[in-house]
Amino acid sequence: MKILVTGAGGFIGKNLVCRLRNKGFEDIFEYTRQSTEEDLKRYCAGCDFVFHLAGVNRPKEESEFEAGNAGLTRRLLSCLEEAGNTVPVVLSSSTQAESENAYGSSKRGAEEAVRAYGERNGIRVYIYRLPNVFGKWSRPEYNSAVATFCYQVARDLPIRVNDPEHPMKLVYIDDLTEEFAKLPEHPERETGPDGIVVPGFPVYETKLGRIAETIQSFGKQRETYGVPQLSDALTSKLYSTYLSFLPRDGFSYPLKMNCDERGSFTEFIRTPDRGQVSVNVARPGITKGQHWHDSKNEKFLVVQGKGLIRFRKVGETEIIDYHVSGEKLEAVEIPTGYTHCIINEGDTDLITVMWASEAFDPEKPDTYHEEV
């Protein structure tokens, strides 16, 4: 199947082209700002399906709305009909089509043109009225407030929120392109009485202030080794978007290594409800641990070297041994009520990734010294 994507160089277009290629579509005609009228005619004559994503939303002159939205749409449809190649068309419209302004009027004009094209030719068309779309490869000060906030917070710049209570509807780019990429081979979609497609992807409703606060919290979490509450779908998608805006020299950040003659202990991730992850380094011959916990439980994963993890149930004498090695990765559970230690039995550093069910609290350490 040959697919034409207009606006292929834009935010939605770039993501959609990548999604289509990942789905196995190889013949994709990419119509961009650099394409010519001859390119458009050639693409229209040879395609089997059209995603019409090109448009204008922030022009220098208001008159550009009509030419870049309704005008371009009519030109595209004329090229298809002149080539005798009436194929299904997906139109990326906007909820602003409901507004009485120049932008809304131009979007309604594009919708009307696509609707009439479908009726004239007895062909299926899909009109999506999209709210704010956010995600990777969006442009700050252009595509959405999310893109602007992510860009600014990732660079320690101040953000401005004029009305924190302003309602927002958001669509995540990967949810959108996943649905779009199914249309060529699975065309059935529910539509409303006006012919607008009822989206099969989530539309998140929130407030502008909450978006700003959430994105600002991402910028502070490196200092506390935190990670967001990713069980919340919107937060998870905002975090993925935020990371895509990190400056190229800002992908990494330092961790505090607590070092002594035995080796080192470094916290990597700390959360209030899912515990913490740390990296423990023990020099050859060194024993670490020799303590037990009431409620805190742990998992140890040796990733380099050879070690021995020893356990003894508090109040008993039997010792349980587990030999571990970076050559055979296995997780070892550290039960409550068992004093335990880890011994480096090799001649190189023993490196262990450790997860604890509770982040360490000096006011309530739940750690009691007792040799195994």
Side-chain angles (χ1 to χ4, degrees):
M1 182 176 288
K2 296 179 175 63
I3 298 177
L4 167 58
V5 179
T6 72
F11 165 42
I12 298 177
K14 182 178 178 180
N15 277 276
L16 178 59
V17 168
C18 288
R19 174 77 63 176
L20 291 169
R21 294 196 191 285
N22 289 339
K23 292 283 187 181
F25 293 98
E26 297 180 353
D27 293 322
I28 302 175
F29 301 142
E30 300 183 39
Y31 181 80
T32 68
R33 293 181 184 275
Q34 290 71 44
S35 301
T36 66
E37 190 71 16
E38 290 304 312
D39 291 331
L40 181 61
K41 291 179 180 179
R42 186 173 72 257
Y43 297 157
C44 285
C47 66
D48 303 302
F49 200 95
V50 176
F51 288 98
H52 181 37
L53 313 178
V56 172
N57 64 347
R58 293 181 186 270
K60 294 180 180 179
E61 302 291 337
E62 191 172 276
S63 59
E64 295 177 43
F65 279 129
E66 177 63 23
N69 292 320
L72 176 59
T73 302
R74 287 191 289 267
R75 208 163 83 238
L76 166 71
L77 300 175
S78 294
C79 285
L80 289 170
E81 290 179 317
E82 289 170 6
N85 187 31
T86 50
V87 298
V89 172
V90 178
L91 173 66
S92 170
S93 187
S94 166
T95 52
Q96 288 296 313
E98 302 167 9
S99 302
E100 294 301 324
N101 53 40
Y103 178 54
S105 175
S106 68
K107 284 296 187 181
R108 284 196 306 276
E111 291 179 1
E112 291 163 4
V114 168
R115 196 176 292 115
Y117 162 85
E119 292 172 355
R120 277 197 308 274
N121 298 288
I123 197 74
R124 189 185 294 268
V125 295
Y126 308 84
I127 300 171
Y128 282 82
R129 278 187 178 174
L130 301 174
N132 294 276
V133 182
F134 72 99
K136 65 184 184 300
W137 305 334
S138 51
R139 290 168 52 190
E141 306 290 352
Y142 187 82
N143 288 124
S144 72
V146 171
T148 303
F149 292 162
C150 285
Y151 178 89
Q152 292 169 332
V153 171
R155 287 157 180 78
D156 294 323
L157 299 173
I159 67 174
R160 185 178 66 187
V161 180
N162 293 326
D163 180 8
E165 294 301 308
H166 180 73
M168 297 283 288
K169 288 186 177 182
L170 300 172
V171 169
Y172 184 51
I173 186 63
D174 290 347
D175 293 333
L176 174 63
T177 58
E178 179 66 19
E179 174 156 332
F180 276 7
K182 292 176 181 177
L183 290 174
E185 295 178 339
H186 303 281
E188 296 76 18
R189 282 295 178 278
E190 179 185 356
T191 59
D194 53 2
I196 306 299
V197 174
V198 177
F201 45 78
V203 177
Y204 298 99
E205 298 190 28
T206 185
K207 300 290 181 63
L208 182 63
R210 188 221 157 172
I211 295 171
E213 289 173 2
T214 300
I215 294 172
Q216 284 178 308
S217 73
F218 300 153
K220 300 173 183 176
Q221 286 174 333
R222 287 184 172 186
E223 300 172 6
T224 60
Y225 308 140
V227 291
Q229 183 58 263
L230 300 179
S231 59
D232 178 76
L234 177 57
T235 299
S236 176
K237 292 166 183 177
L238 287 171
Y239 187 55
S240 293
T241 303
Y242 168 76
L243 291 179
S244 75
F245 277 91
L246 290 175
R248 294 184 180 184
D249 61 352
F251 291 177
S252 68
Y253 57 100
L255 301 175
K256 181 184 178 184
M257 295 181 65
N258 300 287
C259 303
D260 58 25
E261 69 281 355
R262 300 174 305 158
S264 65
F265 183 83
T266 306
E267 283 189 55
F268 173 37
I269 292 174
R270 169 185 281 260
T271 70
D273 59 338
R274 287 151 289 156
Q276 71 180 51
V277 178
S278 306
V279 178
N280 185 69
V281 179
R283 305 296 186 206
I286 292 296
T287 298
K288 286 193 172 185
Q290 305 287 30
H291 59 240
W292 61 279
H293 312 290
D294 272 327
S295 300
K296 183 188 300 183
N297 53 86
E298 299 169 298
K299 298 178 190 287
F300 287 4
L301 173 64
V302 169
V303 295
Q304 177 184 296
K306 293 181 180 180
L308 171 63
I309 301 176
R310 311 196 82 186
F311 300 91
R312 180 175 58 78
K313 193 172 186 178
V314 173
E316 299 184 0
T317 59
E318 179 187 6
I319 295 177
I320 304 165
D321 288 344
Y322 279 80
H323 290 274
V324 289
S325 169
E327 296 178 359
K328 181 186 177 184
L329 297 185
E330 56 184 323
V332 179
E333 303 272 16
I334 311 298
T336 55
Y338 279 82
T339 188
H340 54 277
C341 66
I342 182 167
I343 305 168
N344 185 345
E345 293 187 308
D347 54 10
T348 62
D349 285 352
L350 180 70
I351 301 178
T352 307
V353 177
M354 298 178 170
W355 170 82
S357 61
E358 301 173 6
F360 180 74
D361 180 357
E363 298 298 320
K364 186 183 176 183
D366 188 12
T367 301
Y368 309 97
H369 175 76
E370 183 171 334
E371 293 190 6
V372 177

